[in-house]
Amino acid sequence: MTALAPTLEAFFCERLITQRHASPNTISAYRDSFRLLLTYLHDATGTQPNDLEMEALDAGTIGAFLDHLETVRGVGVATRNARLAAIHSLFRFAAFRHPEHSGLIARVLDIPTKRADSTDISYLSQDEVEALVSAPDITTRRGRRDRCLLAVAVQTGLRVSELVGLRRHDVTLGTGAHVTCVGKGRKQRSTPLTVETAQIVQQWLTEQENDQDAPLFPGPTRRRLTADAVRRIVQRHAATAAKTHPTIAGKNVTPHVLRHTCAMRLLHAGVDRAVIALWLGHESIRTTDIYQHADLALKERALARMTPGQPRTVPRYRPPDELLAFLESL
C-alpha cells in the first residue's frame, strides 16, 4: 500500500468525521469526487487506486481531470469547482502528514477555481405558486403528501436535503408554528410556518402513524424520500400546473427554484437581507445579494422614484484674492 491510500482513508476518518464532524452530505460529495478521480487515473494509467503514489496526483494530472469532468462528463463550472475544493481539502491535510511532498502539494493547491458566468435566478410568481400547490390530486394519499411537501418547500425555502430529512418531531404546530432542521455545517435553525401552511401540515399529520421519528414525507416503503424523488414530484406537478398557467412551462421548475421563490417573496415583502439569510441558512449575508440583482420589480420601483428635474447649475469658481488667483493659475 502506498502513501496515498492511507492518507485518503485518514482524511475521511480523522479530518472529516472526527475533527470536522462533517455532515453525511459533505462526506458523500467528497467520496464521489475522489471516486471519480481514482477512476479517471485508473483509466488513464491502468494502475489500481490502491497502488497509486502521491506523485500520480500532480497539478497537471489534476488539471486534466478537471478538464475531463467538463468536456467528457459535461458537468458545469460549479460542480467542477466543488470537485476541486474536495481535492484542495485533501492536499491541505496531506501537507501536515507528508512534508516531503510539499512542492507537489503547493502546486496542486495553486490550481484556481474557475469563474462561472452569472445566471438569472428563476422563481415563481404568486399565481404560479398557487397553481403548483393546487396541482396534486388531494383525493389520493400521495397527492396530499405532495401538496404538503410543495407548500412547505415554497414557504420555508428549505434545501431539498433539509426537506427530505424532516421528521414528525421537527414540526411544531399551534401558536408559533415552525419546522426545525439541521442544515449545512450541522447548523440547526427554525423556520416559521404561515397559518395556511400549518393547516396543510396538520391535515397531513392526521394521516401519519404516531411515530415522532418517522419521516414527514415518506415514500412508498415509508422511508424518507430521496432528492431525486422530490425533483420528480416537483416536475410532475409543475407540468400539471402549466396546463392552467402556461408561463410555468417556460421555467425549469426544480426544488431549488422553490427555494429561490421563497427568497424572492420575502424580498418583495420588504424583509431585511440579514433576516432572509438567516431564514435560508446562508453562511454569509452576501449570498442573499443574488436575489436583489434578480428582482426586476425592485429596480422598477427605484426607477419610478427617480423623477426628472432641472439640471443643477454650479457657478464657476472665482478666486476672491490676487494671491489665490496666482495659485490657481499655476
Side-chain angles (χ1 to χ4, degrees), residues 15-268:
R15 173 59 63 85
L16 293 184
I17 298 176
T18 304
Q19 297 175 1
R20 292 182 55 186
H21 300 286
S23 68
N25 289 331
T26 299
I27 294 173
S28 297
Y30 278 38
R31 175 205 63 200
D32 293 341
S33 296
F34 292 113
R35 187 162 54 187
L36 287 170
L37 175 59
L38 295 177
T39 302
Y40 168 80
L41 291 173
H42 177 261
D43 294 340
T45 65
T47 305
Q48 292 295 330
N50 205 49
D51 297 328
L52 287 170
E53 301 285 349
M54 286 290 295
E55 291 79 2
L57 273 67
D58 58 13
T61 301
I62 299 299
F65 165 68
L66 297 174
D67 291 340
H68 166 80
L69 291 178
E70 291 189 87
T71 58
V72 178
R73 296 186 63 87
V75 305
V77 175
T79 302
R80 181 256 190 204
N81 289 339
R83 303 304 184 199
L84 177 59
I87 294 171
H88 278 171
S89 185
L90 169 66
F91 274 72
R92 283 191 291 269
F93 174 75
F96 295 98
R97 297 175 65 96
H98 298 287
E100 69 275 13
H101 295 297
S102 58
L104 178 146
I105 292 171
R107 287 189 291 273
V108 171
L109 292 177
D110 279 341
I111 299 176
T113 56
K114 193 171 184 178
R115 294 190 63 178
D117 295 333
S118 59
T119 56
D120 293 334
I121 297 297
S122 179
Y123 60 96
L124 303 180
S125 67
Q126 182 60 33
D127 290 342
E128 291 170 341
V129 168
E130 293 175 0
L132 178 65
V133 175
S134 301
D137 180 8
I138 60 174
T139 62
T140 66
R141 186 176 187 275
R142 187 175 73 168
R144 292 189 291 273
R145 179 204 64 186
D146 292 354
R147 181 186 64 157
C148 183
L149 184 149
L150 293 171
V152 171
V154 171
Q155 199 257 295
T156 63
L158 294 180
R159 300 178 180 91
V160 66
S161 59
E162 298 165 347
L163 195 63
V164 299
L166 290 177
R167 298 186 179 276
R168 289 198 58 178
H169 62 69
D170 295 323
V171 179
T172 300
L173 298 175
T175 304
H178 63 275
V179 294
T180 302
C181 72
V182 178
K184 275 188 174 182
R186 293 185 178 274
K187 294 180 179 178
Q188 188 178 71
R189 73 180 191 277
S190 297
T191 308
L193 298 174
T194 63
V195 174
E196 294 79 5
T197 303
Q199 289 175 348
I200 294 175
V201 174
Q202 178 65 66
Q203 293 170 3
W204 169 242
L205 287 178
T206 58
E207 302 185 40
Q208 299 286 78
E209 298 177 358
N210 192 22
D211 181 2
Q212 294 300 308
D213 288 328
L216 181 61
F217 303 115
T221 61
R222 299 192 179 280
R223 296 182 179 180
R224 74 179 196 176
L225 294 171
T226 64
D228 285 340
V230 174
R231 176 180 53 80
R232 290 192 296 269
I233 288 171
V234 172
Q235 291 178 339
R236 181 172 67 250
H237 295 306
T240 302
K243 296 177 182 178
T244 56
H245 286 71
T247 54
I248 298 179
K251 301 178 180 180
N252 180 25
V253 184
T254 66
H256 212 68
V257 168
L258 304 186
R259 178 171 165 84
H260 290 327
T261 300
C262 172
M264 296 303 291
R265 294 173 74 181
L266 292 171
L267 189 63
H268 289 163

